[in-house]
């Protein structure tokens, strides 16, 4: 039986929410609010882009700010898996684009962490790896879809519209 450490994850003070107690592996044990209200942005209007390559992150950010910004979506970015998990704990994004190959925590590990926090968040895995076994693994682990690099925006448009609704 795993020993539960008394770790508590807090969002930035502006949110004023206690999101979850986690075990020593970062898995959520329970969730609840501190100052009333529900979870921060559950099903909210945030799109999280996680890419360790700044150029890829910049292109995807520009796409979503242009296509979904006018509809009230905001774009958050993270450069690694740990940063992505911190954003997911606090903001519950409406969509996550997650690079698979990152230093430190891989995208696959980050995906598993996101599933432990909230399995309802749709995650699109983005990678230059063309191995079909990797695609199958991330889908089995709960990814909504798999997007190969270079990104085809027609395909990204279709997936994003399925999740978020058509762009303005």
């Amino acid at each position: 039986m795993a020993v539960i450490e008394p770790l508590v994850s807090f969002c930035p003070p502006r949110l004023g929410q206690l999101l979850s107690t986690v075990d020593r592996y970062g898995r959520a044990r329970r969730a609840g609010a501190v100052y009333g209200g529900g979870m921060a942005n559950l099903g909210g209007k945030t799109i999280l882009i996680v890419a360790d390559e700044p150029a890829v992150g910049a292109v995807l950010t520009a796409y979503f700010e242009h296509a979904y910004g006018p509809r009230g979506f905001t774009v958050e970015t993270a450069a690694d898996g740990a940063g992505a998990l911190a954003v997911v704990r606090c903001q519950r994004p409406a969509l996550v684009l997650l690079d698979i190959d990152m230093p430190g925590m891989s995208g696959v590990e980050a995906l598993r962490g996101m599933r432990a926090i909230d399995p309802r968040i749709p995650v699109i895995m983005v990678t230059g790896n063309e191995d079909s076994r990797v695609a199958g693994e991330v889908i089995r682990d709960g990814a909504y879809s798999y997007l190969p690099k270079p990104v085809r925006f027609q395909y990204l448009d279709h997936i994003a519209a399925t999740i978020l609704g058509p762009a303005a």
Side-chain angles (χ1 to χ4, degrees), residues 21-166:
T21 302
V22 297
D23 66 16
R24 66 185 183 154
Y25 301 105
R27 295 180 299 218
R29 296 287 296 161
R30 66 173 181 79
V34 172
Y35 302 113
M39 301 299 285
N41 285 344
L42 190 57
K45 295 278 223 168
T46 302
I47 298 166
L48 173 60
I49 297 170
V50 187
D52 63 327
E53 297 175 53
V56 172
V59 168
L60 292 172
T61 297
Y63 164 77
F64 280 104
E65 285 177 343
H66 174 73
Y68 290 92
R71 293 183 36 211
F73 286 92
T74 59
V75 178
E76 293 283 336
T77 60
D80 58 27
L85 292 177
V87 172
V88 168
R89 281 186 191 103
C90 293
Q91 297 189 19
R92 300 299 199 270
L95 173 63
V96 176
L97 274 80
L98 178 60
D99 197 346
I100 291 178
D101 298 318
M102 294 185 293
M105 180 186 294
S106 74
V108 175
E109 293 169 311
L111 172 66
R112 291 175 184 149
M114 289 177 195
R115 290 286 149 254
I117 294 167
D118 188 342
R120 299 171 297 168
I121 298 171
V123 178
I124 299 171
M125 302 303 289
V126 182
T127 187
N129 186 336
E130 295 182 16
D131 186 350
S132 61
R133 289 180 297 159
V134 173
E137 178 182 355
V138 297
I139 297 300
R140 275 191 309 276
D141 284 344
Y144 183 88
S145 188
Y146 178 90
L147 186 65
K149 292 180 194 173
V151 174
R152 292 181 156 180
F153 284 96
Q154 182 178 10
Y155 185 59
L156 179 57
D157 284 337
H158 175 73
I159 298 171
T162 301
I163 297 167
L164 302 172

